[in-house]
Amino acid sequence: MPIGRPKKTKKTRKLKRAAIAVRAPVKRGKLPVSEIGATVRMRAEAAAAIAQARTSHERLRQAIDILPQGIVFLDADGRYILWNKKYSEIYSRSSDLFEPGARLQDTIRIGVERGDYPEAIGREEAWIAERLTRLYQPGERHEQVLADGRCILIEERLTEDGGVIGLRVDITELKQREASFRLLFDSNPVPMIVCALDDERILGVNDAAIAHYGYSRAEFEKLTIGNVQAFDSQPPWAGDHSSDELTARTWKHVRADGALIDLAIYSRQLVYGDRPAVLLSLMDITERKRAEARLAFMAQHDGLTGLPNRGLLRQEIDEMLQHTRRSSDKMAVLMLGLDNFKAVNDTLGHGVGDKLLRSVAKRLRSTLREQDTLARLNSDEFAIIQSGLARPEDAVLLARRLLEAIGEPYLLDGHSVVIGASIGIAMAPGDGEESEKLLKHADMALSRAKNDSRGTFSFFESGMDARAQGRRKIEIDLRDAIQSEVLRPYYQPLIDLSSGRITGFEALVRWPHPERGMVSPAEFIPVAEETGLINALGGLMLRRACMDAVLWPDDVRVAVNLSPLQFRAGNLLSVVMEALKQSGLPAKRLELEITETLLLEKSSQVLATLHALRALGVRISMDDFGTGYSSLSYLRSFPFDKIKIDQSFVRGLGTNNDAQAIVRAIISLGVGLGVTITAEGVETEAELACLRSEGCHEGQGFLFSHARPNAEIVAMLTAQRGIDGGALTAVAKAARVA
Ligand code: C2E
Ligand code: MG
Ligand code: MG
């Protein structure tokens, strides 16, 4: 163990002298016997005291050995008296030099010569002199670097007898950490400031902070944090002194270059040197804030028009409803749907469609008061919250104004575009206590307005809800009926008016409902169209009609109705081809009936499909001719094989001269175009006679037959073929009999 000899203290020296004085006269035999006893006692006492001193010394050695710091005791001459294990470990390179009585200054000199102290290299004498001066400066602390890179903190204190107690702490790790912190601090692109926690003086700043604030380092260090702009009088960690957690605040702040930014300041307590301090990191979060604001806006607004979207509208309705509950005011939710917006998109392109929507939004906005909310719900639907109403009539006035404003022509990319709208209105209190319900009811009222006649408005009525539920039930049952093929075609004959022969049958869908009996297609076709079930329904009808017709005589055709939505599905051509192939029915025996609404869209896809179908050999008929807005112009867009005059023009023929004039015109038009003309809804002999006299080619109607199930068709054909060329009435009778 590298431990020195026990130090001779005053007490031990005195005791030893006494022991020697006692021992001497006894040896010489001059001492009286009475004194001998006392001398022996004193010797024993001295020996005990020495033993005790040794024990204390030993204990002291053991105690200092377990200390984590190095400790050394030097006497007044700077000679080693005692040192502990850690001290020898720290100075392991020069531990061979320590021995009791050796002088520190000598060991230091030898160490310097051997290169134990890199800081001394080149200025050895000066270094040694400085080192020794420090030795006797009480309380002085300094650091020392050793040859292997370790850093030792040295603290030395004078003892009462002029000696020195020296403490050595290995602070290598601490120094390394400090160095990495410095590096992180100095070269960090984030501006950082360290300031004292007590007097808030700035203790350090990094380059980024200098650039950020435009103060020099020297200027900075004269400031307290309160003087630095943006922190105002309140330090950024105010109220958080106790925490050393990372805490963040955000501030609006003008940077040195004048830019207004959002600043997040993270603060964390630390000890800087030996002062409790706070490290502030300043993050410019302007972009993040902007992006957050943008996202928040986008989440609540429509990208095209910048109007609130459904989510925000709902929030606003709910807020307004709360207000309504507290006051006697009423509010209205107006749901506005554009009529035939899709046609604009399809014919003039999406660019014009988008411009139209923006213009509509603008007109609506300018028709409303500041406090009314306007939102866009989906492609062609807008909603308005009208607040502070006294009576429902106020909503009527607004609806009228809105419809009028929208109806004015728009000039878009050189096109003059006219678009109409319909409005559904729900009122609160009354039609719903929360936004979802009010919107749903306004939507139902809108559907009603659209169905009644476009370009109008309609109020929600309580019965609408029940009707909507009824539709929902139809939808569920219909899905089942299509899947189980309960839904099936009935056939109504088409009669050649000159020969009286059956030329074909129109397949009309029939739904024998287990509870409701035969449900009319007028009731469920619109539901099928709304729910997309129309594609399955149409496919089923095509397959069944072709399968049935293939068993009829070769010259008898079958006509199948198509919904415009089947064209949008995009696979109509292959569905038709598949039905023909599966059944083996020649294409020329299939007729497809389309309505004018399909051509309203004028899309190139629709026309291409029609041409492709015709190229297969399938015949194309225009159904319900005359009911659309510009039936005549549609005749130019596609070469139809047949025109079916709508039954509204046939009704009253023979008695109503106007109807007869219209029918005559249509027939001569058809003859001119080389197209077959069929009259729908022939119910009376008079109508039939008139149609014949006008030269109409074909007729269809209850006068001949209602639609019948396939099982009865064969019988009907047999009866008719048996008569073969007989009078028309006879055919009609035969058909009715069958
Ligand atoms: P539509 O294609 O014009 O069919 C003629 C409608 O007039 C049929 O009504 C028929 O029963 C009825 N009708 C025939 N003769 C007379 C008559 O003398 N007097 C009167 N008042 N009515 C007569 P239905 O079967 O109720 O069908 C109505 C509409 O439903 C059809 O009109 C057609 O547009 C549609 N529809 C029927 N079946 C289908 C189908 O399979 N697919 C599609 N997409 N629509 C269908
Ligand atoms: Mg039809
Ligand atoms: Mg028709």
Side-chain angles (χ1 to χ4, degrees):
M1 174 165 302
I3 289 285
R5 207 178 284 146
K7 190 174 184 273
K8 287 175 188 158
T9 63
K10 272 185 192 165
K11 197 176 172 194
T12 50
R13 277 194 212 111
K14 203 171 143 196
L15 284 168
K16 205 155 186 183
R17 270 202 303 277
I20 293 164
V22 168
R23 219 183 299 143
V26 173
K27 260 190 189 166
R28 278 179 289 193
K30 284 182 188 166
L31 229 56
V33 175
S34 60
E35 286 189 18
I36 290 175
T39 311
V40 168
R41 222 171 29 250
M42 276 178 69
R43 278 167 76 177
E45 273 174 21
I50 291 167
Q52 200 189 350
R54 283 214 172 103
T55 313
S56 311
H57 178 81
E58 196 51 39
R59 283 201 187 116
L60 176 66
R61 252 176 30 177
Q62 283 175 7
I64 62 174
D65 266 351
I66 56 175
L67 290 177
Q69 299 92 349
I71 289 183
V72 64
F73 294 91
L74 305 174
D75 66 14
D77 299 331
R79 290 176 194 280
Y80 284 93
I81 302 170
L82 181 64
W83 59 96
N84 71 351
K85 221 173 172 179
K86 186 71 188 179
Y87 185 83
S88 312
E89 267 170 36
I90 288 174
Y91 294 110
S92 53
R93 270 170 70 104
S94 43
S95 62
D96 56 319
L97 306 175
F98 314 149
E99 67 175 78
R103 289 195 315 167
L104 177 76
Q105 69 186 83
D106 298 333
T107 57
I108 285 178
R109 184 168 292 280
I110 298 170
V112 167
E113 280 159 13
R114 296 201 309 204
D116 285 354
Y117 307 103
E119 287 168 332
I121 295 169
R123 52 187 293 271
E124 287 76 4
E125 285 313 316
W127 189 84
I128 293 170
E130 278 166 25
R131 173 69 190 95
L132 294 177
T133 322
R134 278 187 166 143
L135 186 59
Y136 294 103
Q137 282 175 359
E140 171 80 18
R141 270 185 182 188
H142 67 278
E143 289 166 14
Q144 186 180 63
V145 178
L146 300 182
D148 58 7
R150 278 177 305 143
C151 182
I152 309 300
L153 179 72
I154 298 180
E155 184 172 351
E156 282 154 348
R157 284 168 199 267
L158 292 180
T159 55
E160 272 178 17
D161 60 359
V164 172
I165 300 179
L167 275 179
R168 305 287 186 272
V169 183
D170 185 340
I171 54 166
T172 317
E173 250 181 58
L174 197 75
K175 279 279 156 187
Q176 281 165 351
R177 249 184 284 143
E178 229 175 75
S180 354
F181 170 76
R182 267 249 79 90
L183 189 71
L184 260 178
F185 183 77
D186 287 340
S187 58
N188 206 303
V190 172
M192 289 182 176
I193 301 177
V194 177
C195 71
L197 198 54
D198 45 14
D199 60 7
E200 295 175 4
R201 285 218 155 269
I202 292 180
L203 305 176
V205 287
N206 68 357
D207 292 347
I210 289 172
H212 182 96
Y213 283 100
Y215 299 120
S216 72
R217 194 175 296 275
E219 280 169 332
F220 247 128
E221 285 167 2
K222 281 186 210 127
L223 298 174
T224 65
I225 194 71
N227 305 132
V228 178
Q229 69 107 345
F231 295 145
D232 308 326
S233 52
Q234 213 194 20
W237 66 90
D240 245 337
H241 277 63
S242 60
S243 155
D244 68 346
E245 290 289 297
L246 206 58
T247 49
R249 311 256 169 114
T250 48
W251 307 69
K252 279 273 176 214
H253 173 74
V254 180
R255 208 169 45 196
D257 61 7
L260 177 70
I261 60 167
D262 287 294
L263 197 63
I265 301 177
Y266 290 89
S267 66
R268 177 171 212 145
Q269 292 199 23
L270 43 65
V271 176
Y272 190 82
D274 50 6
R275 300 184 69 177
V278 179
L279 169 69
L280 303 169
S281 316
L282 320 175
M283 306 276 283
D284 180 346
I285 53 162
T286 318
E287 259 319 301
R288 196 178 84 199
K289 280 249 166 179
R290 236 179 254 156
E292 279 170 6
R294 256 200 310 274
L295 275 181
F297 184 87
M298 273 159 61
Q300 295 201 305
H301 292 80
D302 160 46
L304 182 70
T305 59
L307 292 176
N309 64 11
R310 183 181 286 270
L312 186 54
L313 175 80
R314 281 181 48 185
Q315 275 177 30
E316 301 207 352
I317 294 180
D318 284 327
E319 274 168 30
M320 201 65 76
L321 278 169
Q322 280 193 358
H323 170 79
T324 319
R325 260 172 241 137
R326 288 193 299 266
S327 68
S328 60
D329 280 355
K330 292 186 198 317
M331 65 178 273
V333 174
L334 290 86
M335 199 169 299
L336 182 148
L338 298 179
D339 296 337
N340 293 326
F341 171 69
K342 193 176 177 306
V344 174
N345 249 351
D346 287 346
T347 49
L348 301 176
H350 288 265
V352 175
D354 286 354
K355 281 185 185 157
L356 176 64
L357 288 170
R358 277 195 222 109
S359 308
V360 165
K362 225 165 149 187
R363 283 199 198 167
L364 291 175
R365 188 63 265 181
S366 62
T367 313
L368 297 171
R369 297 168 308 169
E370 186 77 14
Q371 67 264 40
D372 298 333
T373 302
L374 172 66
R376 179 165 174 233
L377 301 185
N378 49 45
S379 72
D380 56 357
E381 270 182 8
F382 295 83
I384 292 122
I385 312 176
Q386 189 187 9
S387 53
L389 273 79
R391 319 155 299 153
E393 286 76 2
D394 294 344
V396 172
L397 292 177
L398 179 63
R400 287 220 176 95
R401 277 212 315 278
L402 292 170
L403 290 174
E404 208 172 286
I406 287 190
E408 293 291 318
Y410 301 79
L411 192 66
L412 304 168
D413 290 354
H415 301 277
S416 169
V417 180
V418 178
I419 192 139
S422 309
I423 293 180
I425 307 168
M427 303 281 305
D431 295 345
E433 293 72 46
E434 36 105 14
S435 56
E436 211 37 40
K437 200 148 218 164
L438 268 183
L439 281 169
K440 190 176 134 202
H441 287 168
D443 197 24
M444 284 177 186
L446 174 62
S447 300
R448 153 71 74 82
K450 279 185 175 166
N451 287 340
D452 282 359
S453 86
R454 288 168 179 251
T456 56
F457 60 86
S458 173
F459 276 92
F460 170 75
E461 290 161 17
S462 54
M464 287 178 180
D465 224 355
R467 273 199 295 282
Q469 276 172 24
R471 274 170 98 86
R472 174 91 190 109
K473 169 125 179 52
I474 291 182
E475 181 193 337
I476 294 165
D477 292 354
L478 187 60
R479 203 177 290 274
D480 270 359
I482 293 170
Q483 236 154 39
S484 58
E485 302 205 3
V486 169
L487 221 63
R488 58 175 173 267
Y490 271 37
Y491 298 97
Q492 186 178 34
L494 292 136
I495 312 295
D496 180 309
L497 296 187
S498 56
S499 66
R501 285 174 69 95
I502 294 175
T503 60
F505 291 87
E506 177 174 4
L508 294 162
V509 64
R510 289 294 174 263
W511 183 7
H513 193 280
E515 294 149 26
R516 303 172 55 202
M518 204 59 96
V519 185
S520 158
E523 197 176 331
F524 65 85
I525 294 281
V527 178
E529 287 183 332
E530 269 169 35
T531 54
L533 285 171
I534 192 69
N535 289 310
L537 186 154
L540 171 69
M541 287 294 286
L542 265 167
R543 280 195 307 279
R544 289 288 298 261
C546 292
M547 295 284 225
D548 290 344
V550 81
L551 300 174
W552 304 340
D554 289 346
D555 59 343
V556 178
R557 282 193 285 263
V558 68
V560 177
N561 292 284
L562 292 182
S563 155
L565 290 169
Q566 286 173 268
F567 282 80
R568 280 193 211 150
N571 65 344
L572 181 61
L573 187 64
S574 60
V575 171
V576 172
M577 285 166 75
E578 193 58 31
L580 291 172
K581 196 172 140 204
Q582 265 187 6
S583 61
L585 184 77
K588 64 173 186 201
R589 291 182 57 199
L590 177 65
E591 245 172 36
L592 297 175
E593 296 192 4
I594 62 161
T595 55
E596 294 168 25
T597 42
L598 177 69
L599 295 166
L600 207 66
E601 297 180 6
K602 271 202 189 128
S603 86
S604 52
Q605 188 216 336
V606 166
L607 286 176
T609 312
L610 283 174
H611 281 290
L613 287 167
R614 201 149 180 275
L616 287 179
V618 172
R619 289 161 57 94
I620 309 289
S621 311
M622 182 181 270
D623 203 354
D624 304 340
F625 185 80
T627 52
Y629 289 109
S630 49
S631 307
L632 288 176
S633 75
Y634 296 133
L635 291 180
R636 280 176 51 205
S637 55
F638 186 78
F640 288 93
D641 297 289
K642 181 184 276 189
I643 292 171
K644 298 182 80 178
I645 306 175
D646 189 69
Q647 44 178 283
S648 57
F649 302 106
V650 176
R651 195 76 49 250
L653 276 184
T655 52
N656 181 334
N657 288 340
D658 289 350
Q660 190 165 347
I662 292 172
V663 166
R664 182 178 302 150
I666 299 176
I667 291 169
S668 69
L669 182 81
V671 171
L673 290 170
V675 171
T676 309
I677 304 291
T678 304
E680 298 189 276
V682 186
E683 290 184 354
T684 65
E685 297 286 353
E687 285 161 7
L688 175 62
C690 180
L691 286 164
R692 283 191 68 207
S693 72
E694 293 296 341
C696 183
H697 307 134
E698 265 185 5
Q700 178 185 0
F702 296 161
L703 179 66
F704 310 114
S705 169
H706 281 81
R708 301 293 168 103
N710 185 46
E712 296 176 26
I713 297 306
V714 181
M716 191 190 291
L717 281 166
T718 316
Q720 194 250 315
R721 298 289 155 125
I723 293 160
D724 208 14
L728 277 174
T729 41
V731 173
K733 271 189 203 132
R736 262 174 281 166
V737 169

